[in-house]
Amino acid sequence: MLLGTLLVLFLLGGTGPASAHAALRATDPEDGSVLKSAPRGITLTFTESVGLLEDSFRVLDPDGRRLRTGEPQHGSDGAETASVTLPGKLAQGTYTVAWRVVSADSHPVSGAFTFSVGKPSLTTATVDTGPTEDPATKSLYNIARYLAYLAVALLIGTATFTAVCRPPDAPVLRRLLRTSWWTLVAATLALLALRAPYETGEGPLGALDAGSLTRTLTGRPGEILLARLALLLAAALYVLRLSRSRKPYGWTGAALAVGLAATWAAGEHASAGIQVPVAMTSSALHLLATAVWLGGLTALLVTLYRAHLTSAAVTRFSRLAFASVTVLVVTGVYQSWRGLGSLDALTGTTYGRLLTLKLVAVVLLLGAAGVSRRWTARLASVDAAAETVVREKVPEPVGGPPLPEPPRADRPDAPAADPQRRALRRSVLAEVAVGAAVLAVTTLLTSTLPGRAEAEAAAGAPTVIGASVTNVPFDLGTPGGHGKVQITIDPGRVGDNSIEALVYGPDGGVSIVPELRISFTLPAKDIGPLDAELTDKGGYWGNSFLNLPIAGKWEMKVTVRTSDVDQVTESSTVVVR
């Protein structure tokens, strides 16, 4: 567990903010739009249902002052929307909207956008581009999640190994059951305490706020964690009875294992998106198969090193592991299809690349498992041959003192099986090591936006410009020499248009530059470049008479000069209707 924690710290410590799982599909008003009259409210539409916080919306006026808005609530289109009412009689200028919600699979997501009433203005409001979560809170939360994965795998796997494979009475297995149970309880309590600061982006000390804990306990993620704690109390009685009597109590143990797995399925990717009932069933089966295989492997490994394990018990686990792998393959293929959506997402998204890494690790794991199966078969054949030899060669005593007990094939003093047992220990140890890496990658996958959701968000984004802003980032490669240009084209149709451009610096505020040039080219018709002929309007650049004669996808080149020697040109595509 310590090595696993260090691995998570290493993998997560240098990463940027994790992508949340609900992607923003649309905003009303649109980002960068210029409205003739003030809107009555703001509505956001996401790719999946979201939960609202008390501070889900922060609206800043052109002077950077926060507006008094209504209570955040879901829109008329259901839980996939978030809306808030605005005060009446908004002044002319540019408004900044910062928002934060919690996706259905329990991960927070935040962002910001702007809209203008009447005309764009110089605004002192800046958009917070920091991480969605506090780095310390995120690291602690992800460590607790990984420990919970590891502990549930050990708990279910060890209990299954004890009940099904019926190994010799080994105190090490009882200690493994107790350790995994206590670790899972501690990790669940940590997740419960850190949930509120994780959602709101606060530091770990935010967990000490009684009000935050109350809000967590009444929310969906808190209810799932409370259900997990209740199941763990029942599991404690089961583990105690299993340790004392070593009777399987099969249905009770199976019901508890399914219930624990369901708490993960209800709080992760499977709980949102398409085919939710099928996905949650698949996710629960996937976790159960993983726990039986990897947790059982750990139990097998410690038993091989600490107790006398018969070849029959090893063979029973080998069959159980093969069934688990079959379930893993079937459910893994379905979950990969559901999460990716297309083959392009396998290499074009972070989720796809992590999934590829997990597949490579699983292939290595299957290779080690194949080696273990071969050594299991050899061990069984050697033990069977040894038993046969013992039965044939040991004479029956006739009077006199009894003969000494012959060496048994399941004892360490049976020399023929020693090489096979040592080889089996090494191969199982390799499986456990690779399995820990697989769990680490799985933890990262559950914190990454699925490829399908990313594609849906991209498909839902507006592709036609109509009084909306195109953001063109630029970077001069010098300190402080980066930012973005927001370009508004109205109405975005064939013929005369007005164009306005605002340059934003690295701090998110409007930046004054000595020169800004924009040109348009239509490669399909070999038209252009057409110079937008921008003039400095005192804080922004514009031209009220930009003629775009033909509909299509135009290439827009933006040249930003910040000094006599510093200049950069960037390109983007705009659609003219």
Side-chain angles (χ1 to χ4, degrees):
M1 290 185 181
L2 177 60
L3 290 175
T5 301
L6 293 175
L7 177 62
V8 172
L9 280 172
F10 174 76
L11 290 175
L12 301 181
T15 59
S19 299
H21 298 173
L24 181 64
R25 177 175 288 167
T27 67
D28 182 17
E30 293 183 0
D31 184 14
S33 60
V34 180
L35 309 176
K36 294 182 179 179
S37 59
R40 300 183 61 183
I42 297 170
T43 301
L44 310 180
T45 304
F46 297 89
T47 56
E48 62 181 50
S49 59
V50 295
L52 303 178
L53 305 171
E54 294 179 357
D55 201 29
S56 279
F57 287 93
R58 289 184 294 114
V59 184
L60 307 179
D61 67 12
D63 295 325
R65 295 187 298 266
R66 184 171 180 176
L67 298 180
R68 292 181 177 272
T69 61
E71 291 293 327
Q73 58 186 356
H74 293 295
S76 57
D77 292 334
E80 295 182 355
T81 61
S83 65
V84 68
T85 58
L86 295 175
K89 299 181 180 179
L90 294 182
Q92 179 176 281
T94 299
Y95 291 79
T96 303
V97 181
W99 53 267
R100 185 181 186 90
V101 296
V102 180
S103 59
D105 53 6
S106 77
H107 295 274
V109 54
S110 62
F113 67 96
T114 62
F115 69 91
S116 300
V117 177
K119 62 180 298 185
S121 66
L122 290 173
T123 176
T124 59
T126 59
V127 177
D128 182 10
T129 58
T132 302
E133 306 94 0
D134 178 81
T137 304
K138 184 186 75 170
S139 296
L140 292 173
Y141 192 83
N142 282 328
I143 290 171
R145 290 177 62 243
Y146 178 71
L147 288 178
Y149 270 117
L150 192 62
V152 75
L154 288 175
L155 181 62
I156 294 176
T158 303
T160 304
F161 180 81
T162 303
V164 176
C165 300
R166 300 186 294 279
D169 186 22
V172 67
L173 290 181
R174 292 194 293 272
R175 289 196 297 271
L176 194 59
L177 283 171
R178 290 195 297 268
T179 301
S180 58
W181 185 88
W182 279 110
T183 302
L184 184 53
V185 169
T188 303
L189 290 174
L191 290 172
L192 202 57
L194 291 170
R195 183 68 213 177
Y198 178 71
E199 288 182 351
T200 58
E202 296 177 309
L205 293 179
L208 302 178
D209 184 3
S212 297
L213 182 59
T214 302
R215 187 174 66 249
T216 298
L217 294 177
T218 55
R220 184 169 177 269
E223 293 173 350
I224 293 173
L225 292 174
L226 287 176
R228 186 180 301 173
L229 286 174
L231 288 168
L232 284 173
L233 291 178
L237 299 177
Y238 175 81
V239 168
L240 185 62
R241 295 176 64 186
L242 184 64
S243 301
R244 289 180 176 178
S245 65
R246 302 186 67 250
K247 293 182 180 180
Y249 302 105
W251 288 110
T252 303
L256 289 172
V258 170
L260 286 173
T263 63
W264 266 271
E268 299 291 352
H269 287 300
S271 62
I274 62 172
Q275 302 174 354
V276 170
V278 178
M280 290 185 62
T281 303
S282 174
S283 179
L285 290 175
H286 195 80
L287 179 59
L288 287 172
T290 301
V292 170
W293 185 17
L294 298 183
L297 274 176
T298 305
L300 173 63
L301 180 63
V302 297
T303 308
L304 282 171
Y305 276 97
R306 301 291 182 88
H308 308 314
L309 190 63
T310 64
S311 60
V314 178
T315 302
R316 282 193 290 270
F317 177 75
S318 182
R319 294 168 182 162
L320 184 64
F322 182 80
S324 299
V325 170
T326 302
V327 175
L328 280 173
V329 170
V330 174
T331 56
V333 169
Y334 169 75
Q335 290 179 196
S336 298
W337 167 81
R338 183 176 181 269
L340 286 173
S342 68
L343 289 178
D344 293 338
L346 196 62
T347 57
T349 63
T350 302
Y351 183 88
R353 289 188 286 271
L354 282 174
L355 182 60
T356 302
L357 179 61
K358 180 180 178 179
L359 292 176
V360 171
V362 169
V363 169
L364 294 176
L365 191 58
L366 290 174
V371 174
S372 297
R373 281 179 64 85
R374 286 196 294 269
W375 283 116
T376 299
R378 292 180 186 179
L379 178 62
S381 62
V382 169
D383 283 356
E387 291 286 358
T388 302
V389 170
V390 168
R391 285 195 298 269
E392 291 178 352
K393 292 188 176 182
V394 176
E396 294 290 336
V398 180
L403 294 174
E405 182 181 355
R408 288 166 39 200
D410 62 324
R411 287 174 48 182
D413 56 358
D418 281 349
Q420 284 75 22
R421 290 182 188 278
R422 287 195 295 269
L424 182 59
R425 290 169 187 165
R426 290 193 295 268
S427 62
V428 172
L429 179 60
E431 284 189 76
V432 171
V434 179
V438 170
L439 286 178
V441 177
T442 302
T443 304
L444 292 175
L445 270 175
T446 57
S447 298
T448 307
L449 181 68
R452 183 184 294 273
E454 187 173 331
E456 289 177 357
T463 56
V464 177
I465 289 186
S468 64
V469 171
T470 300
N471 296 311
V472 181
F474 67 88
D475 191 347
L476 295 166
T478 58
H482 60 90
K484 67 178 180 180
V485 183
Q486 287 190 342
I487 303 161
T488 303
I489 301 178
D490 186 19
R493 295 181 177 274
V494 172
D496 287 334
N497 292 264
S498 66
I499 179 171
E500 295 178 348
L502 280 167
V503 180
Y504 290 90
D507 61 350
V510 174
S511 178
I512 305 299
V513 296
E515 185 178 9
L516 179 66
R517 298 194 306 271
I518 299 178
S519 64
F520 295 84
T521 303
L522 186 61
K525 301 294 184 179
D526 196 22
I527 298 176
L530 304 179
D531 189 356
E533 299 180 354
L534 299 180
T535 58
D536 189 351
K537 301 292 186 179
Y540 72 96
W541 296 73
N543 180 11
S544 300
F545 303 100
L546 170 66
N547 186 274
L548 299 173
I550 297 178
K553 292 184 178 181
W554 289 73
E555 179 182 346
M556 180 173 60
K557 287 189 176 182
V558 182
T559 300
V560 182
R561 182 169 66 83
T562 59
S563 68
D564 292 338
V565 295
D566 295 319
Q567 177 176 299
V568 67
T569 299
E570 303 291 349
S571 298
S572 183
T573 300
V574 297
V575 176
V576 175
R577 295 166 291 170

